[in-house]
Amino acid sequence: MKKVIQKMSFVVFLLSTTLISACTQSLGAVESTQTASNAAQGPLDAKEIEAFANPLFAEKMKEYNVAGSSFVVVRDGKVIVSKGYGFADKEKKIPVDKDTVFQIASVSKTFTALAAMQQVDAGKIDLHGNIEEYLGGLKIPNKTGKPVTMYDLLTYTPGFELPDETTFTGPQYIGQDISMDEFLPKHMPTVIRPPGEAYTYDNTGFLLAGYAVEKASGIPFAQYMDEKVFKPLGMASTSVRFKPELLKRMAAHYDLNGEPRPLEGHAPTDGPQGSILSTAEDMAKYMIMQLQNGKFDGKEIVSQKSMELMHSYQAFAEKDIPITTVGFENYFLEYANGQHVVLKGGNLPGHSSLMVLIPEQKTGFFMSYNNDSMVSADIYKEFMDHYFPETEKKAEPVYLSLSEADAQKYFGLYQNTRAYWTRTSITYENGSLVLEGEATGKQKLRMIHPLLFVDEAGEKVAFKEDKSGNIKYFYYTTIKGLSLVAYSQKMEIKKTYSDVPNSSSYKTHINNLSAFSIMGAKSGSKFDPTGTMTQGEFTDALIKAEGHYVMAGSEDGLRQQLAAGIPNLNPSAPITRQVAAAMIQNLKQLEPVASTKTKLKDTADAWAKDAITALVSQGIVDPDTKVSADGSFTFRAKALLKRQEASALLDLAFGYYSLPIKR
């Protein structure tokens, strides 16, 4: 759930608990009881699946430093194989087994969608009606004039400005009991995009969906899930809450370096967006129900009509780029190999999960493991390549020519609608669009048709127009660009301030920051480029420029981090250039470019010198600071920072630029 950009889950019948040590055997050398052609028919035989999975998990868990993982495969209503790999607790040498509990994090969203569709089936919620009718009087601030519906919430399209405003996790929440009634009125973001218009991975939407289930049913959410979902499915080791008997069996949590990290709880305590605990054995039952169109053990858990909505794509970036169903998603599109796949991942600090369903093949798999890596993506790719390989070679696209005049409508700055720190510039060069972002670097985009382009690695970029035919969003399928979790929105660039001439070397930086609402007019139409700033004003602009403030609970930590090591800070005092540089570097944490010589000629305080030279070596320097051929420069460290200088430093440090910045 937490940490922008990244996340997933799997399930069970325990034939045996096997600890797999590091394995050097080549995957291609694995002996199988099935022929390759039989393997391509899908997972059918337990021994063949183990022969495939054992060395794969050994290799990938070692590569990604994963201590332990569960793995379960179901097909045709049966558990074919269920395995535990490695350790639930490596210090105590406790192996992962069928009873090991993991936090499945955002895989919980599929359960919330199921519960909501049960209420739709019962006629208690109108899927396309105003969701406020089911929130017990709670109001959603909305600037669009179009009401949010349950359908919008479950397809990740409600249009919230801050979709992670309600994503509070941490060890401090474990012993607390915070109700949704108490929590939601204090943490309600505003709808700023018309609901249904743009995909943005959205935790708040699923929290509200669960709250609506609670209000419509008259049953507290955790109790509802126990009575209406978990018990009918026989999921005795699954809960929305931290029950003591489940905590005793929970896998330890580790970071990417293999170091233990604490268990984190949620606020509110019942988290429809991601608080469920479960085991592989229980998740197998859930997948079987999903693949049996909502039926399990002779009981209808949800209607076939509702299940069809959960398994059919509702939101598309482009006709060949499905994004979300009701509850599920489809990132890693190319890994599906032409199969109809719905999946959902989940991540909390120290635990990750992935659930993959292939409804037409009546096949699914689930895994949970105890770190934050994306090993699940590799397992998913290998699973699909082995059991459902691509059968048709895709024809090379026919690319269309693009003139500079026709390219104009794409030009501009874009900001990810969830991860505000992910910003992109689109320009033109020699018949191609040029996309540049810090995460992706520069990419030339070739046009397949006017709303679909392909980058140099073959990843697709789909544009979306507004009703007037103007480009409003793009969706980038590459994981590097982080657009797999949201559309990026074209930002409006203010062309002029009355006191910023076109000849100003700061004009572009000022316009960029204005577009992202980081800095704007001081008064009226005037930017006040040579005016000064207080430390507090610069801090506010820096927090916006850095971008992670949109993640709930992060702003206080960012403010503490940017102030580290800087003496005598005073929000109302004017800010000097050296204080600004130190604040930026405290958040940016850049290493000086080894190939770039820098030598500070003027006087700066000792606590600021390294920050100044690191920024300058990376090209983060205002236009009036000239760096000589020998790397020497005068920074004017103790001079007061001008607003135009602030715009340049913040733009270059946190804009769309690849670092080091090429000038």
Side-chain angles (χ1 to χ4, degrees):
M1 279 177 12
K2 195 178 178 183
K3 296 181 182 167
V4 180
I5 17 226
Q6 29 245 64
K7 329 301 194 205
M8 323 240 240
S9 237
F10 279 48
V11 172
V12 45
F13 164 77
L14 197 71
L15 297 175
S16 63
T17 299
T18 306
L19 299 182
I20 303 296
S21 60
C23 178
T24 58
Q25 181 182 16
S26 166
L27 296 183
V30 172
E31 292 292 335
S32 171
T33 59
Q34 285 185 312
T35 65
S37 61
N38 285 337
Q41 297 174 11
L44 298 170
D45 178 80
K47 290 183 178 179
E48 189 281 329
I49 296 171
E50 290 189 51
F52 158 72
N54 290 357
L56 174 62
F57 272 83
E59 176 187 317
K60 294 300 180 181
M61 287 171 64
K62 181 179 180 182
E63 178 182 347
Y64 286 90
N65 201 21
V66 175
S69 179
S70 62
F71 174 63
V72 62
V73 179
V74 301
R75 184 162 190 175
D76 294 327
K78 298 178 181 178
V79 177
I80 306 300
V81 72
S82 179
K83 299 278 294 184
Y85 294 104
F87 293 104
D89 188 318
K90 64 183 182 181
E91 286 76 28
K92 296 179 181 178
K93 305 299 182 185
I94 299 174
V96 174
D97 64 19
K98 69 181 181 66
D99 296 317
T100 302
V101 173
F102 287 90
Q103 292 177 285
I104 68 170
S106 284
V107 179
S108 304
K109 290 179 172 66
T110 68
F111 287 89
T112 299
L114 179 77
M117 296 312 297
Q118 287 179 329
Q119 291 298 293
V120 172
D121 289 343
K124 293 185 176 182
I125 292 178
D126 179 351
L127 187 61
H128 298 285
N130 188 338
I131 195 64
E132 286 188 340
E133 296 179 16
Y134 313 105
L135 299 180
L138 181 70
K139 298 299 181 183
I140 301 173
N142 191 331
K143 294 182 178 180
T144 72
K146 182 181 180 183
V148 177
T149 69
M150 178 63 82
Y151 182 82
D152 299 323
L153 299 179
L154 299 181
T155 56
Y156 304 79
T157 59
F160 284 119
E161 180 178 23
L162 300 173
D164 290 290
E165 174 71 16
T166 57
T167 310
F168 284 81
T169 66
Q172 69 270 29
Y173 299 118
I174 292 173
Q176 300 188 45
D177 191 346
I178 303 169
S179 70
M180 288 188 275
D181 283 326
E182 173 190 354
F183 180 86
L184 276 168
K186 301 175 184 177
H187 303 282
M188 180 57 65
T190 299
V191 176
I192 60 169
R193 288 178 295 276
E197 180 175 276
Y199 161 65
T200 302
Y201 190 88
D202 196 309
N203 281 303
T204 296
F206 278 81
L207 174 55
L208 285 173
Y211 190 58
V213 168
E214 180 174 287
K215 294 301 180 183
S217 67
I219 303 172
F221 183 73
Q223 180 184 341
Y224 181 96
M225 297 305 291
D226 281 343
E227 294 179 0
K228 305 297 184 182
V229 180
F230 304 147
K231 287 182 181 178
L233 291 174
M235 298 176 71
S237 293
T238 302
S239 175
V240 170
R241 292 192 157 212
F242 287 159
K243 294 181 179 179
E245 64 269 25
L246 298 183
L247 288 175
K248 291 177 183 178
R249 292 188 271 127
M250 182 178 286
H253 296 66
Y254 299 97
D255 64 21
L256 292 174
N257 296 318
E259 296 298 320
R261 61 176 306 151
L263 166 68
E264 295 196 8
H266 304 79
T269 303
D270 297 342
Q273 75 277 35
S275 71
I276 291 177
L277 318 178
S278 193
T279 64
E281 183 171 39
D282 277 5
M283 289 300 295
K285 298 170 183 176
Y286 179 62
M287 288 195 296
I288 288 170
M289 179 274 298
Q290 287 274 343
L291 294 167
Q292 292 182 159
N293 295 317
K295 293 183 174 62
F296 185 81
D297 197 23
K299 298 171 293 208
E300 182 176 271
I301 308 300
V302 70
S303 72
Q304 182 171 340
K305 180 181 178 181
S306 289
M307 193 56 66
E308 287 171 355
L309 287 173
M310 294 188 72
H311 291 173
S312 60
Y313 282 95
Q314 308 294 311
F316 293 78
E318 198 265 347
K319 64 181 179 65
D320 294 325
I321 305 178
I323 305 178
T324 66
T325 72
V326 166
F328 286 92
E329 297 179 278
N330 191 24
Y331 28 82
F332 309 121
L333 180 62
E334 296 302 315
Y335 294 178
N337 292 342
Q339 295 287 334
H340 176 74
V341 174
V342 297
L343 54 76
K344 188 73 196 78
N347 169 274
L348 277 163
H351 278 190
S352 301
S353 295
L354 174 67
M355 179 170 62
V356 175
L357 301 178
I358 315 167
E360 293 169 4
Q361 303 290 345
K362 301 297 182 184
T363 299
F365 80 85
F366 174 88
M367 65 185 290
S368 285
Y369 52 99
N370 49 7
N371 77 1
D372 301 332
S373 73
M374 292 298 287
V375 66
S376 53
D378 284 13
I379 300 295
Y380 171 43
K381 182 180 187 305
E382 294 287 347
F383 183 92
M384 296 302 296
D385 286 348
H386 185 70
Y387 290 113
F388 302 102
E390 189 75 68
T391 56
E392 296 182 11
K393 186 173 178 61
K394 294 182 179 178
E396 181 69 18
V398 176
Y399 298 108
L400 304 179
S401 61
L402 180 67
S403 68
E404 185 166 6
D406 289 339
Q408 293 284 334
K409 67 178 184 178
Y410 306 96
F411 291 2
L413 297 177
Y414 296 75
Q415 181 169 265
N416 189 280
T417 55
R418 184 192 185 202
Y420 282 14
W421 59 91
T422 303
R423 297 159 181 144
T424 307
S425 166
I426 292 183
T427 54
Y428 177 83
E429 183 181 307
N430 298 328
S432 298
L433 292 182
V434 177
L435 178 149
E436 182 181 5
E438 185 176 1
T440 59
K442 286 188 175 181
Q443 291 282 336
K444 287 189 175 181
L445 308 181
R446 292 182 290 175
M447 184 169 68
I448 296 177
H449 63 69
L451 293 179
L452 184 63
F453 290 73
V454 176
D455 73 7
E456 295 166 51
E459 299 284 358
K460 294 177 180 177
V461 180
F463 290 90
K464 184 173 182 177
E465 297 174 328
D466 63 17
K467 293 180 180 179
S468 301
N470 300 310
I471 298 296
K472 191 169 185 179
Y473 305 101
F474 76 74
Y475 179 80
Y476 200 2
T477 60
T478 177
I479 189 171
K480 289 194 302 181
L482 303 179
S483 292
L484 79 165
V485 296
Y487 278 15
S488 287
Q489 184 171 357
K490 192 174 184 181
M491 311 307 290
E492 181 181 352
I493 298 179
K494 184 175 179 62
K495 298 299 182 184
T496 59
Y497 286 100
S498 62
D499 56 351
V500 180
N502 289 332
S503 59
S504 171
S505 55
Y506 290 92
K507 182 178 176 63
T508 296
H509 301 304
I510 290 170
N511 283 346
N512 288 353
L513 262 65
S514 178
F516 294 126
S517 300
I518 296 167
M519 288 179 67
K522 185 71 173 179
S523 63
S525 64
K526 294 185 176 181
F527 185 80
D528 189 21
T530 59
T532 59
M533 305 178 72
T534 66
Q535 292 177 5
E537 288 171 334
F538 183 78
T539 296
D540 291 343
L542 174 56
I543 291 291
K544 289 182 179 180
E546 195 274 346
H548 282 84
Y549 73 93
V550 299
M551 305 304 291
S554 64
E555 184 170 336
D556 289 345
L558 290 169
R559 289 181 181 274
Q560 292 176 12
Q561 183 180 339
L562 66 83
I566 306 174
N568 303 317
L569 285 178
N570 179 355
S572 61
I575 190 166
T576 62
R577 288 168 57 83
Q578 66 175 0
V579 170
M583 284 184 172
I584 291 172
Q585 177 63 355
N586 279 344
L587 293 187
K588 197 69 179 174
Q589 296 289 300
L590 293 171
E591 295 291 334
V593 179
S595 60
T596 302
K597 295 179 180 179
T598 53
K599 182 180 180 181
L600 178 63
K601 292 170 63 177
D602 58 323
T603 301
D605 289 332
W607 48 264
K609 287 181 179 179
D610 288 345
I612 292 169
T613 55
L615 296 183
V616 172
S617 77
Q618 289 273 9
I620 299 173
V621 60
D622 59 284
D624 288 327
T625 300
K626 306 301 180 185
V627 181
S628 301
D630 65 356
S632 62
F633 64 96
T634 300
F635 192 72
R636 311 180 306 286
K638 298 191 177 184
L640 295 182
L641 180 74
K642 297 176 182 178
R643 281 172 54 84
Q644 64 183 7
E645 295 167 352
S647 73
L649 294 176
L650 292 176
D651 181 30
L652 292 169
F654 300 103
Y656 60 86
Y657 304 94
S658 305
L659 295 175
I661 296 163
K662 306 301 181 185
R663 307 186 67 80

